[in-house]
Amino acid sequence: MIWRLGERLEELDQGEWEAEGCPAVFLTDSRNARKVLDLAGIQYENDIQLGQIGFCKLETQQECLVGTLCIPKLLDVLGSRYRIYFFINQDHVVLVDDEDFSMRLIRRIKRKKTHQGETKERFIYNYIAEFMSRDQELLMQYEKTLMGMEEDAMQGKIERFQQELMPIRRKLLNLRSYYDEMMDMGRELEENENGFFAKKQLKYFGTLSDRADRLMSRTSHLLEYAQQVRDVYQSQVDARQNNNMQFLTVLSTIFFPLTLITGWYGMNFQNMPELKNGYPGVIVLSLIVIIVCILIFKRKKIL
C-alpha cells in the first residue's frame, strides 16, 4: 500500500503515485519487498528475513537508512515480537511487515493525529511514538502489581511469591533492553549522517530519544523496586525461620534437663535413692522443671 506524505496521509494506488511522483510511505510484506524497494529507488543487497530480526537497530548505507524493529507485544512481553524492516531514502519510507501491525498503527495515526505526515520525519515520529504510546500504562500496571505483592509480603502472604515475581523481573529486563535500543536508534536518526532529514525536523527524533530514555529510567526504577519487594519477602521468610528455630530451641532447652534426670534414674544402681518408689518423684520433678522453664521464657518474652 502507498500513502502520500502531506498534512494527511492519503492512500494512493501505484498508478496515481507514479503519475504524481510525490514523497510517499510504502507498506509491503517480505515477499514483495524487493519490488517495492525498486519502485522507491532503494538498493539493498542483503536478504530481507523478518524472522532473523533480534533487536532494534539502525544501519547507515550510502543511499539509504536501513532499520529493524523488534517490538515486544505488551500482552506477552516474554513471547513473540513484532519484527519490521524500514528503509528511508531522500524522499520515501518503506515498511516491510508480514503482520498487520504497521497497518493498524497507520490507521490509528490517521484517526488520532492532526498532523499525520507532512514530512517523512513527522511520519517516522508518529509511527514510533504510536507503538510506544501504551508503554507507560504497562509500566504503571507492573508498579501496581509490585506494590500489591509488597503489601502481601508484609502481611505474611508469601505463597507462590517467587513464581509471581520472577516473570515480572524478566519482563522488565526485556523492556529495559528494548528501550535502550530505541534510545540509541533515536539518537542515530537525530545525527542525520546521510543528510536525508531537514535540520529543523530533527527535533522529533530527539523527542523519541527522550521518551525512550524516560521509559528506560522508569523500568530501571521498577527493577530496583522489585528487588526491594524481594527483600521484604526474604525478611518474612527469615522471620518465619527464626520463629521456627526459636521454638525448636525452647523445646530443646526444656527437654535437656529432663533428659539429664531420666539419664540419672536410668542407671539403676543398687544403692540409688528412691530406687523402688522413684517413678512418681521423677514425674513431679520433670513437671517442676517444665513449669520453671516456661515461666523463665515468658519473663524473657521468648514465648
Side-chain angles (χ1 to χ4, degrees):
M1 303 190 72
I2 307 173
W3 289 269
R4 178 197 292 115
L5 286 173
E7 184 175 350
R8 301 190 64 80
L9 295 170
E10 298 182 20
E11 190 171 336
L12 304 170
D13 59 33
Q14 184 174 339
E16 290 176 320
W17 174 78
E18 289 177 342
E20 295 185 8
C22 60
V25 174
F26 298 82
L27 175 59
T28 185
D29 56 25
S30 57
R31 291 177 300 176
N32 300 301
R34 290 293 177 187
K35 180 175 65 176
V36 174
L37 287 176
D38 291 340
L39 187 64
I42 296 175
Q43 299 297 323
Y44 183 64
E45 297 179 356
N46 297 332
D47 294 333
I48 299 177
Q49 297 181 353
L50 296 179
Q52 300 299 318
I53 296 176
F55 47 87
C56 305
K57 68 174 183 177
L58 187 69
E59 178 184 349
T60 302
Q61 297 192 356
Q62 187 173 358
E63 297 181 356
C64 68
L65 292 174
V66 182
T68 58
L69 295 171
C70 189
I71 306 168
K73 297 182 179 181
L74 298 186
L75 298 179
D76 187 19
V77 175
L78 297 178
S80 60
R81 297 191 174 199
Y82 298 113
R83 291 175 166 83
I84 301 164
Y85 271 100
F86 66 90
F87 302 84
I88 305 169
N89 65 2
Q90 191 69 42
D91 297 314
H92 307 302
V93 177
V94 177
L95 301 172
V96 181
D97 185 358
D98 283 344
E99 302 184 53
D100 65 344
F101 179 68
S102 294
M103 176 61 75
R104 288 188 281 116
L105 287 179
I106 293 175
R107 287 173 179 169
R108 274 158 42 188
I109 291 170
K110 293 179 67 175
R111 185 174 65 251
K112 294 166 53 177
K113 303 291 184 180
T114 303
H115 302 285
Q116 298 173 2
E118 298 95 331
T119 62
K120 61 179 177 296
E121 296 88 352
R122 181 76 188 192
F123 172 79
I124 295 167
Y125 167 77
N126 284 337
Y127 180 81
I128 296 177
E130 188 61 34
F131 67 67
M132 295 178 67
S133 61
R134 300 179 182 178
D135 291 42
Q136 191 70 252
E137 180 181 350
L138 176 67
L139 295 179
M140 288 179 63
Q141 292 176 358
Y142 287 144
E143 184 175 23
K144 290 180 180 178
T145 301
L146 289 172
M147 291 175 65
M149 294 178 67
E150 181 182 31
E151 185 175 351
D152 289 343
M154 293 181 67
Q155 295 176 359
K157 302 175 182 178
I158 57 177
E159 290 74 15
R160 295 188 56 80
F161 185 92
Q162 291 281 40
Q163 292 88 334
E164 295 177 5
L165 181 62
M166 293 308 296
I168 294 178
R169 294 188 71 251
R170 290 176 57 197
K171 291 176 182 178
L172 291 173
L173 286 170
N174 281 0
L175 288 173
R176 185 175 64 178
S177 298
Y178 161 63
Y179 296 137
D180 188 29
E181 295 166 8
M182 292 303 302
M183 184 175 61
D184 290 341
M185 178 178 289
R187 289 174 177 171
E188 291 180 26
L189 288 170
E190 191 176 12
E191 288 176 2
N192 194 22
E193 184 175 344
N194 284 16
F196 290 157
F197 307 122
K199 290 184 178 180
K200 63 180 181 180
Q201 302 285 341
L202 296 178
K203 60 184 179 181
Y204 294 124
F205 304 136
T207 302
L208 291 176
S209 297
D210 292 341
R211 178 175 298 184
D213 189 17
R214 289 194 300 270
L215 289 170
M216 188 178 70
S217 298
R218 182 76 180 277
T219 307
S220 298
H221 168 73
L222 288 177
L223 280 169
E224 294 175 0
Y225 183 38
Q227 182 60 43
Q228 294 176 7
V229 173
R230 187 180 183 280
D231 291 341
V232 172
Y233 159 78
Q234 190 61 46
S235 66
Q236 291 295 324
V237 172
D238 293 342
R240 284 192 178 186
Q241 290 178 345
N242 289 338
N243 290 336
N244 292 335
M245 291 301 298
Q246 181 176 323
F247 179 72
L248 293 175
T249 301
V250 169
L251 288 181
S252 299
T253 304
I254 292 175
F255 278 95
F256 177 75
L258 300 182
T259 303
L260 181 62
I261 293 171
T262 55
W264 280 344
Y265 278 87
M267 294 179 184
N268 295 326
F269 294 131
Q270 184 175 1
N271 298 322
M272 185 174 182
E274 302 179 1
L275 184 60
K276 295 182 179 180
N277 300 315
Y279 191 72
V282 171
I283 293 176
V284 173
L285 180 60
S286 298
L287 291 175
I288 292 174
V289 169
I290 293 173
I291 293 172
V292 170
C293 288
I294 291 175
L295 292 175
I296 293 174
F297 290 141
K298 284 187 173 295
R299 179 174 298 180
K300 293 182 175 295
K301 297 182 180 180
I302 298 177
L303 284 178

